[in-house]
Amino acid sequence: MNNQTDIQNCDFTSDLKMKGFRVYPINGDFSKVPVYSRRDFYKICINTSKSIIQYADRGIETDGTILFFGNPIIPYSWETVSEKFEGYACVFTEEFLKTNDRSETLHESPLFKIGGTPIFSLNAEQKVFIDSLFQKMITEYETDYVFKDDLMRSYINLIIHESMKMQPSDNFFKHKNASSRITSLFLELLERQFPIETKDQPLTLKTPQDYAQSLAVHVNHLNRSVKEITGRPTTAHITDRIINEAKALLQHTDWSVSDIGYSLGFEYPSYFNNYFKRLTGTVPKSLRM
């Protein structure tokens, strides 16, 4: 990727962090599609192409126009097989879409919930309508209208409600090597939890059961797959990553030991101290000194 593209992506991500929302066209050139690395963004995308989407432990083949809903928990990859593709996408935070504490969380939405089906096939009439909503968002995004955010939320919610009236696509196939695929997904999801960027939002995925639930698989299936492919238990991978992050935070931040323990999911400092000492042979404070 050239420097100009890097600058564009940097500007895109900075703008997205500040506003919590971004909409953009997809017109056949992957190098011009903005890259966003934050793991707290949701995505809605309409795309016309022949593609293969790897989502959790499923592969999804598409040929035509589809509407895709991505959440920040489930990792996915998108391979476009056809030479031509076009569409629109928007990414946004849950905080942007929610207007009050009583609003339904996106995790509870049938479109974004774990284990849900994120892809809908669109006919010609549905494509025209959804395209028009994205086009309106792109047009309004560049205006100075004072209630622009409210208007964007209305368009997003309209897309969501129109989609909930459709039937999801069942064009799924299992990955040829299920153990390899689920292990790759687990390791990718594990890495997505790090680095810890704030001490106010503690790590939520700490056990094999947590990861199995996020990947919509049974924990026994996850454990067997990870052990088969890597030769190590799921818990060993999680423990190693938590300990490595703890060492990095102790050495490169001025957070207190209590704050570091809390950010890594330990409710009490004593739990973190005992955990760290059991696995490293020393207490956190000694490592920092």
Side-chain angles (χ1 to χ4, degrees):
M1 186 177 292
N2 58 41
N3 291 336
Q4 182 62 36
T5 304
D6 289 338
I7 293 171
Q8 291 173 348
N9 287 333
C10 181
D11 292 342
F12 175 86
T13 303
S14 298
D15 188 48
L16 185 53
K17 289 180 182 179
M18 181 173 62
K19 298 180 179 179
F21 172 82
R22 191 69 187 266
V23 60
Y24 54 93
I26 301 171
N27 55 12
D29 188 348
F30 278 116
S31 67
K32 295 182 180 178
V33 176
V35 175
Y36 62 99
S37 58
R38 299 264 296 182
R39 55 180 179 266
D40 52 352
F41 290 123
Y42 291 80
K43 181 176 185 178
I44 302 177
C45 172
I46 182 172
N47 183 281
T48 302
S49 67
K50 184 175 183 180
S51 304
I52 299 175
I53 303 172
Q54 300 291 349
Y55 183 87
D57 64 341
R58 294 171 291 179
I60 305 166
E61 292 181 317
T62 73
D63 191 0
T65 301
I66 57 115
L67 193 60
F68 173 80
F69 294 85
N71 70 62
I73 300 299
I74 298 295
Y76 64 89
S77 63
W78 192 311
E79 177 187 359
T80 299
V81 180
S82 55
E83 293 183 1
K84 295 182 178 180
F85 61 95
E86 61 179 9
Y88 302 93
C90 66
V91 286
F92 52 91
T93 63
E94 183 162 4
E95 290 75 19
F96 175 83
L97 199 61
K98 288 183 65 176
T99 55
N100 57 65
D101 292 337
R102 295 189 299 273
S103 300
E104 181 189 55
T105 65
L106 289 176
H107 290 299
E108 298 169 349
S109 168
L111 305 178
F112 293 105
K113 70 178 181 181
I114 303 302
T117 299
I119 290 182
F120 297 78
S121 297
L122 306 186
N123 58 35
E125 182 180 357
Q126 292 167 332
K127 177 185 183 302
V128 170
F129 180 68
I130 299 298
D131 274 348
S132 70
L133 295 178
F134 273 101
Q135 290 163 3
K136 289 178 180 178
M137 281 195 284
I138 289 175
T139 300
E140 292 293 341
Y141 188 80
E142 301 300 330
T143 70
D144 296 325
Y145 180 49
V146 66
F147 298 113
K148 180 170 60 179
D149 286 355
D150 291 334
L151 190 55
M152 295 298 176
R153 293 186 192 98
S154 297
Y155 286 136
I156 294 174
N157 280 307
L158 185 54
I159 293 174
I160 288 174
H161 285 290
E162 285 295 322
S163 303
M164 289 173 64
K165 295 189 291 185
M166 304 176 192
Q167 291 296 321
S169 173
D170 293 323
N171 196 20
F172 292 122
F173 65 91
K174 285 290 184 181
H175 199 272
K176 290 183 179 179
N177 188 335
S179 294
S180 176
R181 178 62 187 162
I182 198 63
T183 300
S184 175
L185 287 168
F186 160 70
L187 294 174
E188 183 176 348
L189 183 55
L190 176 63
E191 283 303 313
R192 283 191 178 204
Q193 310 311 307
F194 305 95
I196 300 296
E197 298 173 342
T198 172
K199 52 191 174 185
D200 299 322
Q201 295 180 346
L203 187 69
T204 56
L205 302 181
K206 298 176 290 184
T207 68
Q209 183 65 48
D210 294 335
Y211 282 89
Q213 184 177 355
S214 292
L215 294 171
V217 298
H218 195 280
V219 66
N220 291 341
H221 175 43
L222 174 63
N223 288 334
R224 282 196 302 269
S225 298
V226 173
K227 185 66 180 294
E228 175 187 342
I229 299 301
T230 70
R232 305 179 67 215
T234 310
T235 51
H237 291 280
I238 298 172
T239 298
D240 284 354
R241 196 61 187 85
I242 290 177
I243 289 297
N244 286 338
E245 187 68 11
K247 291 178 179 178
L249 292 173
L250 286 165
Q251 293 173 340
H252 303 295
T253 73
D254 59 358
W255 299 359
S256 69
V257 172
S258 297
D259 285 339
I260 291 174
Y262 180 77
S263 73
L264 292 171
F266 295 90
E267 187 175 0
Y268 300 107
S270 58
Y271 293 175
F272 173 56
N273 282 325
N274 293 337
Y275 180 88
F276 192 88
K277 184 176 182 180
R278 176 168 57 85
L279 293 166
T280 67
T282 186
V283 295
K285 185 176 291 186
S286 297
L287 178 67
R288 167 165 280 178
M289 294 175 60

